Amino acid sequence: MKRNQAQTMVVSLTGTLAAISIGYIGVQIFGRYTMYTIATVMLGLGTGGAIGQVLVEKRQQRVVQPQSKQR
């Protein structure tokens, strides 16, 4: 396994465990429905950010058209 792949797996696993822990503690403090609301808002923000990045990348791509030479 490559080093980058192993690092990605470790970071992903750590992030997942952290998210589960934060969610559990949040439910204990705020309640179930408040945490559902927070999760929904975060999902919406993540989706919006991803769509925004795609749109910005599409705008930055320039279309190069070859020009015909006139004699």
Side-chain angles (χ1 to χ4, degrees):
M1 186 179 330
K2 294 181 181 178
R3 182 180 172 105
N4 289 340
Q5 197 174 24
Q7 286 177 339
T8 302
M9 288 176 61
V10 169
V11 169
S12 297
L13 182 62
T14 304
T16 301
L17 292 175
I20 291 170
S21 300
I22 291 169
Y24 176 77
I25 293 169
V27 166
Q28 299 302 316
I29 294 171
F30 299 118
R32 181 187 326 172
Y33 297 110
T34 303
M35 289 307 294
Y36 285 158
T37 303
I38 292 171
T40 304
V41 169
M42 294 304 291
L43 180 66
L45 287 173
T47 303
I51 291 171
Q53 281 184 334
V54 169
L55 292 176
V56 167
E57 288 175 5
K58 281 188 176 183
R59 284 185 192 159
Q60 289 178 348
Q61 292 177 353
R62 294 185 180 181
V63 178
V64 178
Q65 296 178 350
Q67 296 179 353
S68 61
K69 295 181 180 180
Q70 295 180 355
R71 295 182 184 191

